Amino acid sequence: MHRFRAVVAATAAAGAVAAALALASGGPPPTEPPAPDAGTVVAHGSGRGRVAEPPERTDRSVQRAVDDARRRAIPRAVAAARDEAVTLAAAAGLRLGDAAGVARDVSPLGWYDETTGRFGPGRWCGPIVTWRTVRGDDGRSRRVRRSHHGCHKPPSVSVRVTVTFAGS
């Protein structure tokens, strides 16, 4: 529970600092997305890539597999954003032009990011703790903690992007 409170406090503090910086610079608060330029269409897309099983699970091999999955997911995310932009442009009576900008959306502070590692940035291997309920000779149940070293590989990686297209 204390860890949860610490994450909430850190998230709130980061949000307050970002809001203060935005207000000091004359920009909009961070909760409002920036207004798009006239004649542009802004669309969001997401893509998913399956993480292949490395021949041997180590921090380095799992990170390579995650990076490869991310590289495969980015074109899918941009294609999904283009599909959304076509629909938005048609609804607004615009013709969609070329992409003018693209940004990868990142998870907000305090949210789990599946691409960073289960045990910290770039650390996919570490102690894995499991609990088992065992029944003793006297018939009473008790929980037993077991720990072993292991490497976690996520099944897939999701990438979110925001793409700005020219419109006419």
Side-chain angles (χ1 to χ4, degrees):
M1 189 60 149
H2 296 294
R3 185 175 179 190
F4 174 75
R5 287 182 186 154
V7 169
V8 169
T11 304
V17 170
L21 289 174
L23 291 175
S25 67
T31 56
E32 298 177 17
D37 295 332
T40 62
V41 177
V42 178
H44 306 278
S46 62
R48 188 167 283 285
R50 189 180 73 74
V51 178
E53 181 68 44
E56 179 184 354
R57 285 194 184 187
T58 64
D59 285 332
R60 188 174 292 168
S61 67
V62 174
Q63 186 64 50
R64 269 196 306 269
V66 167
D67 290 343
D68 290 344
R70 185 183 306 118
R71 277 191 283 280
R72 287 190 306 274
I74 289 172
R76 295 172 184 158
V78 172
R82 180 176 293 281
D83 291 344
E84 179 183 328
V86 167
T87 304
L88 290 170
L94 296 171
R95 266 190 22 219
L96 194 65
D98 292 333
V102 63
R104 180 171 174 233
D105 300 339
V106 294
S107 298
L109 180 67
W111 289 77
Y112 173 71
D113 183 7
E114 63 189 5
T115 62
T116 60
R118 180 175 183 176
F119 300 99
R123 294 189 57 223
W124 299 94
C125 303
I128 297 176
V129 177
T130 57
W131 291 87
R132 257 180 77 182
T133 302
V134 296
R135 189 171 305 274
D137 294 336
D138 59 357
R140 296 175 55 184
S141 296
R142 62 186 173 92
R143 290 181 37 94
V144 177
R145 179 181 186 260
R146 294 182 180 222
S147 177
H148 68 279
H149 183 80
C151 297
H152 171 74
K153 176 197 72 74
S156 62
V157 172
S158 177
V159 174
R160 296 177 311 272
V161 296
T162 300
V163 185
T164 303
F165 293 93
S168 58

